[in-house]
Amino acid sequence: MLLVGLTLLSGNARAAEPSYDDYVAQVKAGKLDIDYTAFRMAYAASPKYEPYGAARALIGQIKKAYVAGDCPAAIAHAKEVLEVNFVQIDAHMVTASCLKKAGNEEEARRAHAVFIGLVRSVLGSGDGKSPETAFVVIGIDEEYSVMAALSLTLVRQALINHGGSAFDRMEVKKRDSDEIATLYFNVDRLQAQMARTFQNQSPQKIQ
């Protein structure tokens, strides 16, 4: 009986793990002290996960509007991105910055807290110095967000395989230096999602 009870408790614990939509609802309700790694991985495990989807094009529009100083347009594009991918780092960063400029300190603080939580989640997944200690990402945009957070610019990129996993090997440098360093990002989840997408396409669609 004890074993059965423990098994049931274990099963209930697994069932109680928040889904991606649960995390989104929590953050929108103001709960910011969440497990951001679990949040990111819940998105990657959800049917909404599209690392190569429409959000990628919108991210470019966010940055273009933000650099041009058009915060209303930047926030509007950020909202579009967050509707399909609420763990998109740059959307939260731009939202926080623009809201602060507009004097909306409380909403800016919340957006900034989510931005910091997501960046720290990626940075906490490794040190990026080798394939074995690579940063684990669920989107290409996370790679660029991390590089920006570390004040690095990309020099060269290559997709490599090592130990049965896929990695983006990024040669980077500080913005005020010519010294080249190398960072590794584990992209297994992106590669697996791409493979699933191709498998789900009919031969006619592929042609």
Side-chain angles (χ1 to χ4, degrees):
M1 289 296 294
L2 178 60
L3 180 59
V4 172
L6 289 174
T7 301
L8 288 174
L9 285 172
S10 177
N12 289 337
R14 285 194 296 272
E17 291 178 3
S19 68
Y20 166 67
D21 289 334
D22 291 334
Y23 279 117
V24 172
Q26 289 177 23
V27 173
K28 286 184 175 181
K31 181 176 173 56
L32 305 177
D33 57 338
I34 61 171
D35 184 334
Y36 284 93
T37 297
F39 188 10
R40 290 170 52 242
M41 297 308 155
Y43 168 65
S46 77
K48 298 180 180 180
Y49 180 47
E50 293 186 354
Y52 300 103
R56 289 194 69 190
L58 289 170
I59 293 167
Q61 294 179 32
I62 294 173
K63 293 180 178 179
K64 183 177 180 180
Y66 183 66
V67 170
D70 188 352
C71 267
I75 289 179
H77 291 314
K79 286 181 178 178
E80 291 182 79
V81 169
L82 296 177
E83 281 298 314
V84 295
N85 177 5
F86 205 80
V87 294
Q88 209 292 316
I89 294 173
D90 289 339
H92 289 288
M93 183 274 290
V94 168
T95 298
S97 179
C98 284
L99 287 173
K100 186 171 184 179
K101 288 179 181 179
N104 192 337
E105 294 288 341
E106 179 58 24
E107 291 299 318
R109 182 192 67 78
R110 291 187 180 188
H112 186 260
V114 178
F115 161 66
I116 292 297
L118 293 170
V119 170
R120 285 177 175 170
S121 170
V122 180
L123 291 175
S125 65
D127 61 17
K129 295 180 179 179
S130 70
E132 290 77 14
T133 60
F135 294 122
V136 178
V137 295
I138 60 171
I140 298 298
D141 52 289
E142 289 191 336
E143 299 178 352
Y144 286 90
S145 294
V146 165
M147 287 188 286
L150 298 175
S151 299
L152 298 171
T153 57
L154 179 65
V155 178
R156 281 179 293 274
Q157 180 270 341
L159 178 64
I160 67 168
N161 289 288
H162 177 83
S165 289
F167 300 89
D168 273 339
R169 182 179 65 204
M170 304 293 211
E171 293 184 28
V172 297
K173 68 181 185 69
K174 289 282 188 181
R175 292 168 186 167
D176 57 352
S177 171
D178 291 328
E179 184 178 350
I180 303 295
T182 302
L183 290 180
Y184 294 87
F185 295 87
N186 182 300
V187 293
D188 281 344
R189 285 172 176 79
L190 288 80
Q191 294 291 302
Q193 182 64 18
M194 182 186 293
R196 284 192 292 270
T197 299
F198 283 127
Q199 287 174 359
N200 291 334
Q201 288 179 335
S202 67
Q204 291 78 11
K205 288 182 180 179
I206 294 176
Q207 293 173 357

